[in-house]
Amino acid sequence: MNRFRLTVRCTAAMLMVLVGCTGGISPQQQGAAPPAGGNPATGTRSGNANQNSGAFGSPSGDNGPVLPVSGHPRLWLRADDLPRLRARASLANPLFGMALSVLAERATAEMDSGSVLRDDSGGPTYVSAFSEEYAELFAFMSLITSEEATRDDYARRARLLLMHVLNEAARGPADDQPFRDPAFALSDRSRWRGEAFALTVDWIYPYLSTADKATIRQVFLRWAGENVHAATTSFNHPEPIGVLNDPVLLSNPIAERFALNNYYAAHARNLGLMAMALDPGDDPDGALRGYLANSTGAWLYVIDHLLRNDARGGQAPEGFEYSPQSVGYVAQLLLALHTAGQDDPAVGGPQVMLNGDPFWSDSISAYLHALSPATVMHPDLGEVYQPSWYGDGQNYYAGDFIQAFAPIGLYDASIGNTERLQALRWIETHTAPGGEAEQISRVLRPESFRDAILYFMLFDPDAPAPADPHSAQPLEHYAPGVGHIFARTSWEADATWFTYYLGYISVDHQHGDGNQFQFYRRGEWLTKERTGYGDAIGSSDYHNTLALENDSPGHRGDYRDILYERGSQWLYGGASGDGQILAHSFGGGFVYATGDATALYNSDYEGSTDVLHASRSIVWLKPDHVIVYDRAASRTSSRFKRFWLNLPANANVFGDAAGMTTSSGQQLFVMSLLPTDAVLVSEPAEALDGEPANFEPMQFRLRIEAPGSPAVVRFLTVLQGADPGERAGPVVLIRSSGGAEFEGVQVESTVVVFPIDLDAPVSTLTYSAPADTTMHLIAGLMPDGSYNASLRSIAGGVEVTVTPGAGYRADSGGVLVLGAPR
């Protein structure tokens, strides 16, 4: 679709089709009234929740009672913002003169040519032109343009397109009819562009006639009711309907996790925006405004609880492709509540105030930690980051998070949180595809006109260049809600980077990645998941974890066959429970985690419950070694147990070791110590039509399998990253000789040991290590527990004995760090 411009007039044809270019101008002096009842918009119960504060030096934003804003505009911006925005709407501002104004010119030309109406079929999903998107752009231009005649023309254009859609919708729902399909307010179009209707109404309010507003109210009321009862996907609305601010809304944990589903979040946003768009005089019984209580007291109530719990740490469950959308929809609603003066926590609960939830600051930290240290060159987009992906993905590079980050930044600008605002401006300058060099292009060719508007609003051309926020970030980040750990050696482009994932697999777009790890070195991945979109590529064998054969599922002939045949964890909420990170440590020179993924491999619903145990203990010895210890057990023997690694190049296998060389010459060495008779095979990744993401670098994979498929298997695997020409270092298997049963390895001069049985108490532990050992990491002890330790020189080595005592203290993850013999 071309987006070119010009001409500021209504054509005769448009007048005939769109009911004319003029409309009544309504005064804007009416104040907002409290929500009224009489429909599912209002509820009957009340509750409360704790309020937290965010990072990045966030001021609380609590400056006394918040008063509703009576005038227009009030959604995303207010009347007192207009002089500043009009000053920015200058040809001297590149984001305006070279981008937004050009985009508006293109849109004007397209409307004048008739292509907007011609290309908008009125369907509920993808169409070649979204009328409401053009209306939103024109409405915004009507606010920021300095010349009154041009403002009037833009506003009338917005009204024509808006009312073209709503006059059709007002005829009532009808299958497959333009703008009337029952899915119109619920399906993809509603989430991709759904904010445009309410924003356009608010931004051109004086240009709407009394009849227009009556039609808008009629349609918005129907759409709001449909949103409250939406069934687009699983658990697509809060239940019980009509109950507000009550813990009963949180009684189903799986339903709560769906609160950051992209449809759920979009419906919450659209419901709230529609409820705030009209003045009380144009909604005389308060029925439409009443839906605001539902948007905040039901939808946001559940979402806020999820953000503080199962999305704690700044990452949402649906993954890197869908979560930016979902989180963006919520941030857009919270910004609108703020600008409309509806974010008083004393009235609406803590969920209505963006700054009351630490998730929003954590989301920025999590985003920075999820980006690769270095960029790579994309043939079409320029420089892009290769993120530590999770969930479904169609394109493997970090996209533009403007729809999520700009609303946070605009909120920060309004409350004076300069630190976080500057961090967001830096991110949206440097980390979106193409970086700073392509920022103008991102506004000229946005995914949505909304994104171009948000860029213009976020960036003040007179503000100093934002500082890089990395220096204020630690080198490790833990997102406990979804179970993600990130760690790197520095914030420089040549850093080594390690990630580990284990959480729940309960909602759409999640993959079987429990106990997955990834390893990045000197500008490229040595191993990572194989990113993509589909059932096969979502299975565990493409996620650097174990594949464990289980009982045949109770339902055959669909995706469950794929998961069963691959020994995968269960997708789509089929698992018996969640994965659990049992312990983790960020130590001096190492990162450690232990996680139990047993429940992810079993499905009570499918009767597939043969896996008795599946856990992983893992240590990254900075910078170049990853030590992985896996425990796997099934009730039945002759069930395969496989360790998988995905690789960018084919590996050469030499008995119990393998070596891989990347295109740049870096090397990855893989040494298998357990099982002692393991079979290693390197093979090309399957083609999997349509599933692998574009630009995905993992094209091969290494399988380590226990021959004979015994019921109990332990895998001990060491990975070493190395420069061109380097040789693999020696590794030595370590086993305890007394007390608790431990196994591990010496790598260079460090010994790392793990318990064989995670549940066995450790009253004493004895093992021997080579004489050149200078450091011992003993994992699996009591967190912060106190121990005595002796390191005694013996023939050919050192004997280590650990007992309860007071001489040494394990860290918070249960790792005891010992030095050389004394």
Side-chain angles (χ1 to χ4, degrees):
M1 174 176 57
N2 292 324
R3 287 175 173 156
F4 268 99
R5 159 168 208 194
L6 211 108
T7 312
V8 286
R9 67 181 189 281
C10 295
T11 66
M14 289 162 55
L15 287 169
M16 294 173 63
V17 173
L18 295 177
V19 221
C21 277
T22 60
I25 299 177
S26 291
Q28 306 173 44
Q29 278 85 30
Q30 296 164 319
N39 57 40
T42 59
T44 57
R45 308 183 190 179
S46 63
N48 211 334
N50 293 326
Q51 180 176 329
N52 296 316
S53 59
F56 283 98
S58 313
S60 70
D62 183 6
N63 296 310
V66 177
L67 300 178
V69 174
S70 59
H72 298 272
R74 60 175 175 245
L75 301 180
W76 291 10
L77 69 161
R78 300 175 181 172
D80 56 8
D81 294 316
L82 296 182
R84 174 174 47 82
L85 292 175
R86 287 175 183 170
R88 287 189 198 176
S90 162
L91 296 179
N93 175 8
L95 280 181
F96 182 81
M98 299 172 63
L100 186 62
S101 67
V102 179
L103 187 66
E105 290 171 357
R106 293 176 179 177
T108 301
E110 289 173 358
M111 184 172 179
D112 287 344
S113 74
S115 67
V116 177
L117 297 180
R118 183 179 64 247
D119 293 340
D120 188 351
S121 65
T125 57
Y126 178 78
V127 295
S128 298
F130 296 92
S131 297
E132 63 272 25
E133 172 182 37
Y134 284 79
E136 180 180 359
L137 176 62
F138 292 142
F140 184 73
M141 295 299 292
S142 78
L143 295 176
I144 67 168
T145 304
S146 297
E147 300 79 15
E148 184 175 358
T150 308
R151 287 203 302 270
D152 290 345
D153 181 78
Y154 277 130
R156 288 165 179 154
R157 288 177 181 276
R159 175 187 170 272
L160 289 170
L161 294 172
L162 173 74
M163 297 312 300
H164 171 68
V165 174
L166 296 186
N167 283 330
E168 283 296 309
R171 296 172 61 193
D175 290 341
D176 301 322
Q177 294 302 303
F179 312 113
R180 299 172 62 194
D181 190 286
F184 186 84
L186 303 175
S187 190
D188 290 328
R189 183 166 181 165
S190 73
R191 63 186 178 91
W192 292 336
R193 305 294 188 272
E195 84 292 335
F197 292 104
L199 293 183
T200 300
V201 169
D202 174 55
W203 293 350
I204 65 164
Y205 211 77
Y207 293 84
L208 298 171
S209 69
T210 300
D212 290 340
K213 294 169 188 173
T215 299
I216 292 165
R217 181 177 181 274
Q218 174 190 342
V219 175
F220 279 12
L221 275 171
R222 175 165 65 82
W223 287 354
E226 291 169 352
N227 274 241
V228 167
H229 294 85
T232 312
T233 187
S234 306
F235 305 108
N236 203 195
H237 57 261
E239 293 187 79
I241 292 173
V243 173
L244 307 182
N245 296 300
D246 192 292
V248 70
L249 294 165
L250 311 173
S251 58
N252 184 338
I254 304 302
E256 180 183 331
R257 290 170 181 173
F258 269 88
L260 282 177
N261 171 267
N262 48 99
Y263 292 107
Y264 189 112
H267 297 157
R269 174 198 64 184
N270 297 348
L271 188 65
L273 292 180
M274 289 188 293
M276 291 185 283
L278 293 181
D279 288 341
D282 299 312
D283 180 32
D285 64 357
L288 181 59
R289 282 175 294 129
Y291 278 102
L292 182 60
N294 198 287
S295 176
T296 60
W299 301 77
L300 266 183
Y301 179 85
V302 179
I303 291 170
D304 181 73
H305 191 268
L306 175 60
L307 295 178
R308 296 174 190 272
N309 293 279
D310 282 354
R312 188 168 77 259
Q315 288 198 311
E318 279 200 339
F320 225 88
E321 177 146 326
Y322 284 97
S323 290
Q325 300 173 38
S326 303
V327 169
Y329 303 150
V330 178
Q332 292 160 31
L333 172 58
L334 289 169
L335 174 64
L337 290 169
H338 176 66
T339 57
Q342 299 286 355
D343 64 336
D344 187 344
V347 175
Q351 66 265 27
V352 301
M353 190 174 71
L354 188 150
N355 225 36
D357 192 333
F359 175 88
W360 300 104
S361 286
D362 288 343
S363 70
I364 301 168
S365 297
Y367 173 81
L368 292 171
H369 279 275
L371 295 186
S372 55
T375 58
V376 296
M377 189 61 64
H378 189 281
D380 301 317
L381 302 174
E383 289 189 344
V384 295
Y385 284 89
Q386 295 184 301
S388 180
W389 199 276
Y390 67 110
D392 281 333
Q394 298 177 80
N395 298 291
Y396 180 60
Y397 52 80
D400 190 348
F401 281 46
I402 187 69
Q403 64 177 303
F405 285 158
I408 305 172
L410 295 173
Y411 176 88
D412 288 339
S414 74
I415 66 169
N417 186 3
T418 304
E419 183 181 0
R420 191 167 67 184
L421 172 62
Q422 291 297 81
L424 290 163
R425 285 175 172 167
W426 186 92
I427 285 169
E428 284 301 331
T429 300
H430 296 282
T431 68
E436 184 175 17
E438 296 297 323
Q439 189 178 58
I440 296 297
S441 296
R442 294 196 293 275
V443 180
L444 274 173
R445 292 182 289 277
E447 182 177 318
S448 162
F449 290 159
R450 170 201 62 234
D451 296 351
I453 292 168
L454 289 172
Y455 262 110
F456 174 79
M457 294 176 69
L458 180 65
F459 284 92
D460 179 354
D462 297 324
D468 186 336
H470 284 111
S471 61
Q473 294 289 319
L475 295 177
E476 299 89 13
H477 183 78
Y478 179 38
V482 292
H484 291 177
I485 289 174
F486 307 91
R488 62 185 71 204
T489 54
S490 76
W491 286 109
E492 302 302 319
D494 63 352
T496 304
W497 183 34
F498 167 84
T499 73
Y500 168 76
Y501 290 174
L502 177 60
Y504 52 87
I505 308 175
S506 305
V507 302
D508 295 347
H509 308 297
Q510 292 185 307
H511 285 188
D513 60 3
N515 273 331
Q516 170 182 291
F517 72 96
Q518 303 177 110
F519 188 42
Y520 178 103
R521 187 180 186 273
R522 297 194 185 279
E524 61 186 341
W525 286 108
L526 298 186
T527 182
K528 62 178 283 292
E529 68 159 30
R530 192 177 188 210
T531 300
Y533 200 129
D535 298 330
I537 205 164
S539 299
S540 298
D541 51 323
Y542 281 109
H543 289 85
N544 285 4
T545 188
L546 297 183
L548 304 176
E549 186 178 2
N550 210 321
D551 298 318
S552 178
H555 302 80
R556 300 300 302 267
D558 57 12
Y559 72 92
R560 285 166 281 210
D561 280 355
I562 295 172
L563 302 179
Y564 161 65
E565 290 164 3
R566 293 171 177 273
S568 179
Q569 299 158 15
W570 287 94
L571 310 183
Y572 310 118
S576 295
D578 299 340
Q580 299 286 338
I581 294 181
L582 304 177
H584 77 282
S585 300
F586 298 136
F590 74 93
V591 172
Y592 157 75
T594 285
D596 186 344
T598 307
L600 298 178
Y601 288 94
N602 289 321
S603 174
D604 294 329
Y605 175 73
E606 296 297 338
S608 186
T609 57
D610 193 59
V611 175
L612 289 175
H613 187 82
S615 69
R616 167 168 287 177
S617 296
I618 189 166
V619 167
W620 173 36
L621 286 179
K622 301 178 184 179
D624 287 333
H625 291 86
V626 178
I627 301 162
V628 191
Y629 185 73
D630 290 298
R631 310 163 189 86
S634 58
R635 288 186 176 86
T636 309
S637 59
S638 300
R639 297 276 169 94
F640 68 71
K641 297 169 180 65
R642 297 166 180 162
F643 173 104
W644 285 100
L645 281 181
N646 294 278
L647 303 171
N650 201 13
N652 294 312
V653 174
F654 307 97
D656 58 2
M660 183 273 300
T661 303
T662 70
S663 59
S664 72
Q666 280 199 89
Q667 301 177 92
L668 176 68
F669 301 116
V670 182
M671 288 75 76
S672 174
L673 286 79
L674 294 175
T676 55
D677 56 351
V679 176
L680 281 65
V681 177
S682 183
E683 61 190 28
E686 300 160 289
L688 300 178
D689 268 0
E691 293 197 12
N694 298 317
F695 213 50
E696 166 55 39
M698 297 296 113
Q699 301 301 323
F700 295 85
R701 56 188 192 161
L702 179 69
R703 181 178 77 248
I704 304 177
E705 187 158 3
S709 302
V712 178
V713 175
R714 295 187 298 278
F715 294 92
L716 177 58
T717 313
V718 177
L719 285 73
Q720 178 188 344
D723 291 334
E726 289 187 0
R727 299 175 65 87
V731 295
V732 178
L733 179 64
I734 304 293
R735 281 180 161 140
S736 59
S737 56
E741 292 186 299
F742 273 59
E743 292 177 324
V745 64
Q746 185 204 41
V747 173
E748 293 184 337
S749 60
T750 298
V751 163
V752 180
V753 293
F754 309 99
I756 293 176
D757 183 349
L758 289 176
D759 297 324
V762 181
S763 57
T764 183
L765 164 65
T766 301
Y767 66 87
S768 298
D772 60 350
T773 304
T774 60
M775 185 71 68
H776 301 258
L777 302 182
I778 303 169
L781 302 180
M782 288 293 296
D784 299 311
S786 295
Y787 294 91
N788 288 325
S790 66
L791 289 83
R792 183 173 64 89
S793 295
I794 59 174
V798 58
E799 183 181 73
V800 179
T801 299
V802 176
T803 57
Y808 295 86
R809 182 176 293 276
D811 66 16
S812 61
V815 177
L816 183 64
V817 181
L818 303 176
R822 293 181 295 181

